[in-house]
Amino acid sequence: MEISQVAKQSGVPASTLRFYEEKGLIHSIGRRGIRRVFGANVFERLELIALGRAAGFSLEEIAGILGSHGKPSIDRDLLLSKADELDATIKQLTAMRDGFKHAAACTAPSHLECPRFRRLMNLAGSGAVKAVASNKAIKSKKASKP
């Protein structure tokens, strides 16, 4: 299947497919003229890449998961570690959500007079919520790319 067909069916831009191939995440099986040709298993690999990216794995970690012989090699300890990271992120986001809901309904004359909102500000100022902000910035950059 030519790269343009893979891009159309998967929704992954051809430029990203070429990048993934350069990084060794996917492999073309040849060329038809100047166009790369991929096997049917490329869709499974693209789904694994999408899952890994959605979970916050690095491309290097995803490459390890995909394996070098066409068969995934999923490290269960790595999955458990990522699940623990996600639990921490969920806990942090839940606390932020609850704090924002409280601040929105707070009867204090100013948000700066609300102790719970001040506590959220202090956490953000100390870097405790920095990782969440970084993840959102990364997602915003991805969404703005053509």
Side-chain angles (χ1 to χ4, degrees):
M1 179 175 305
E2 289 187 6
I3 192 169
S4 60
Q5 294 170 300
V6 174
K8 185 175 182 178
Q9 287 184 23
S10 68
V12 177
S15 60
T16 302
L17 294 172
R18 288 189 291 275
F19 176 74
Y20 286 166
E21 186 178 21
E22 180 183 308
K23 293 292 184 184
L25 301 174
I26 61 174
H27 306 283
S28 60
I29 57 173
R31 291 192 178 262
R32 188 171 297 142
I34 62 169
R35 294 187 178 168
R36 289 170 174 85
V37 177
F38 294 92
N41 73 332
V42 73
F43 294 109
E44 182 178 84
R45 291 181 74 84
L46 290 172
E47 289 171 349
L48 283 168
I49 293 167
L51 177 61
R53 291 184 60 119
F57 286 106
S58 70
L59 288 180
E60 292 77 23
E61 290 170 322
I62 293 170
I65 289 169
L66 292 172
S68 58
H69 302 295
K71 290 186 180 181
S73 174
I74 301 172
D75 180 341
R76 294 175 192 275
D77 290 334
L78 180 63
L79 293 179
L80 288 173
S81 175
K82 185 55 73 174
D84 290 342
E85 285 179 35
L86 291 171
D87 281 339
T89 300
I90 290 167
K91 184 178 177 182
Q92 186 178 25
L93 289 172
T94 300
M96 287 177 54
R97 180 206 59 207
D98 294 347
F100 287 150
K101 282 185 175 184
H102 170 81
C106 184
T107 58
S110 161
H111 288 24
L112 297 179
E113 295 177 48
C114 173
R116 196 162 181 184
F117 190 76
R118 296 287 293 189
R119 196 168 32 249
L120 275 175
M121 288 173 43
N122 290 336
L123 286 172
S126 70
V129 294
K130 185 177 182 181
V132 174
S134 297
N135 288 340
K136 184 167 176 66
I138 291 167
K139 288 179 183 177
S140 296
K141 287 179 186 177
K142 288 178 191 174
S144 65
K145 285 185 178 180

